[in-house]
Amino acid sequence: MTAPEQGPEQGKEPARRRRGPNAATPARRAQIVRAALESFAQHGYERASLRDIAARAGVTHAALLRHFSGKDELLLAALAQREADEEKLAEQILHSGLTGGSVLSAVLREEFENPGYQRNWLALSIAATDPAHPAHEFFVTRRERMRTRFNSSPLPTSRDSAYLSADEKVTLVLAMVDGLRIQALLDPSREPLGLLEVFMKLVVTPEEGAAAEAR
């Protein structure tokens, strides 16, 4: 007997079902964002390349572009991740029992120990003052987010005083931090974060400082 004639679908392996979005996608995106953070910190935004970021993430350049449209989108994702890391670290430090200016200096300590990171962060924040810069809106709204964070934390900046409003205190603290970044880069022998703690105590009135310590 001759073998029965096979139809067009017979004798073939079933076609593999096309895979759609899966659980690995968020993890892969997070991996790429972490790699972007490293690359931006080492090279700065302008000099960092998508190919370097892809190599750090262990993906191809084409795979990276399936997750992100380009460097601008990656920059915003990396900045958002950096801010989320700061918030997580601040929560951990608060739970450790530190209060007042010690919390802020502890959050910033790792950054201040990495001059290259500080230099690139300053360069980026200055460049972002240009309204045409891709990170301009992030830095504008970051100030409001920082204001909310300061006002809802044990830091002594959440209340108006006789001379300064709570908003003015936040402005001064952020300006102090940026100024200390520059001073630390110019003179690494100095201990800038100790000065930050003193500044935090001087920003508030003695009554507010005593109340903050009591809490």
Side-chain angles (χ1 to χ4, degrees):
M1 290 181 62
T2 58
E5 192 173 314
Q6 293 181 341
E9 299 300 323
Q10 293 179 326
K12 295 182 179 179
E13 293 184 4
R16 293 184 178 179
R17 186 174 299 174
R18 184 176 296 175
R19 297 178 65 184
N22 53 67
T25 300
R28 181 55 56 85
R29 284 179 62 89
Q31 185 178 348
I32 294 170
V33 169
R34 289 289 180 192
L37 269 173
E38 293 175 2
S39 186
F40 293 149
Q42 180 176 347
H43 301 297
Y45 171 67
E46 298 297 336
R47 290 181 297 161
S49 70
L50 290 179
R51 294 193 182 279
D52 176 63
I53 294 169
R56 291 170 185 263
V59 300
T60 64
H61 182 249
L64 182 150
L65 291 175
R66 286 198 292 271
H67 292 279
F68 295 95
S69 61
K71 196 161 71 166
D72 287 359
E73 185 184 0
L74 252 179
L75 172 64
L76 295 179
L79 288 172
Q81 184 61 58
R82 180 187 189 274
E83 196 165 275
D85 291 343
E86 284 179 347
E87 292 179 2
K88 183 177 179 181
L89 178 59
E91 284 297 318
Q92 292 172 347
I93 291 169
L94 284 170
H95 290 153
S96 73
L98 288 180
T99 59
S102 299
V103 176
L104 186 56
S105 63
V107 171
L108 294 169
R109 187 161 302 282
E110 183 177 349
E111 175 192 327
F112 272 69
E113 291 173 352
N114 187 336
Y117 186 93
Q118 283 190 82
R119 193 173 293 110
N120 286 323
W121 175 258
L122 279 169
L124 177 61
S125 58
I126 292 170
T129 60
D130 181 352
H133 193 278
H136 177 74
E137 185 64 22
F138 173 88
F139 278 95
V140 169
T141 56
R142 172 179 165 82
R143 186 192 178 284
E144 185 59 30
R145 290 191 298 275
M146 292 294 288
R147 179 178 179 276
T148 300
R149 193 182 309 163
F150 275 109
N151 289 347
S152 60
S153 75
L155 293 172
T157 52
S158 58
R159 298 174 305 281
D160 295 345
S161 69
Y163 302 102
L164 294 169
S165 68
D167 184 68
E168 289 170 336
K169 290 180 183 180
V170 175
T171 300
L172 284 172
V173 170
L174 295 179
M176 180 66 170
V177 171
D178 284 340
L180 286 176
R181 285 188 175 107
I182 295 173
Q183 295 304 313
L185 289 171
L186 291 173
D187 186 358
S189 67
R190 291 188 178 273
E191 173 46 59
L193 294 178
L195 293 174
L196 177 61
E197 293 190 29
V198 173
F199 177 78
M200 293 293 287
K201 293 176 182 177
L202 295 177
V203 165
V204 297
T205 63
E207 292 80 9
E208 287 175 314
E213 290 297 327
R215 288 198 302 276

